[in-house]
Amino acid sequence: KTSGRCHVSSLVVGRLARLRHAIACASCVSPTFMKLIQILKVAVIPVLTVFSFLSTSNTALAEYLTSQGIGGEYHYELWSSDDNKDYYLKIWSNHQGSPESAPSYSITQHFSSTGDALDYFDCHYGGRANASCQ
């Protein structure tokens, strides 16, 4: 996921190098053109740089935490894709704190809905016997 960020950064660096070359070549042109170059250096380049970093970080986000809870002897975090079409669970023991600090946690198969994912947790970890448990 960082390769896209590196690609965008190299594009920005390439554009900046071409702009510096154009500025160096423009030293023998009119003062009006030099003012335009100054405006580009001060305003446009920083705006384009910020925009490139913002657009890169948005494309890098692919999933987010939807909910979390406890059932039986286990905690869960329900994660979702950014288009809400794919879900999975991170599951760990109550005695381990969080999935980041837990020595081991499980990541489940992927589900097509939050209900399917939570039913799976209830049936396999939460100690409940729902009608959906087979």
Side-chain angles (χ1 to χ4, degrees), residues 34-128:
M34 291 307 292
K35 287 182 185 178
L36 177 64
I37 295 299
Q38 277 300 99
I39 291 170
L40 286 173
K41 284 171 53 178
V42 172
V44 175
I45 293 173
V47 168
L48 289 175
T49 303
V50 168
F51 175 73
S52 70
F53 284 113
L54 289 176
S55 65
T56 301
S57 65
N58 285 341
T59 58
L61 297 175
E63 18 187 69
Y64 59 92
L65 182 62
T66 302
S67 69
Q68 51 191 342
I70 302 172
E73 296 285 320
Y74 297 92
H75 286 272
Y76 71 85
E77 289 180 347
L78 177 61
W79 289 82
S80 171
S81 60
D82 56 358
D83 61 1
N84 290 324
K85 293 183 179 180
D86 190 36
Y87 302 88
Y88 69 91
L89 294 164
K90 283 186 180 180
I91 300 170
W92 69 98
S93 168
N94 280 345
H95 308 291
Q96 294 178 325
S98 72
E100 289 76 23
S101 66
S104 65
Y105 62 89
S106 298
I107 296 178
T108 64
Q109 66 196 29
H110 289 257
F111 302 96
S112 59
S113 71
T114 59
D116 290 346
L118 295 176
D119 283 345
Y120 177 86
F121 178 83
D122 287 343
C123 294
H124 293 89
Y125 294 92
R128 296 189 182 132

Side-chain angles (χ1 to χ4, degrees), residues 21-38:
H21 177 71
I23 291 168
C25 294
S27 61
C28 59
V29 294
S30 72
T32 305
F33 184 73
M34 291 307 292
K35 287 182 185 178
L36 177 64
I37 295 299
Q38 277 300 99

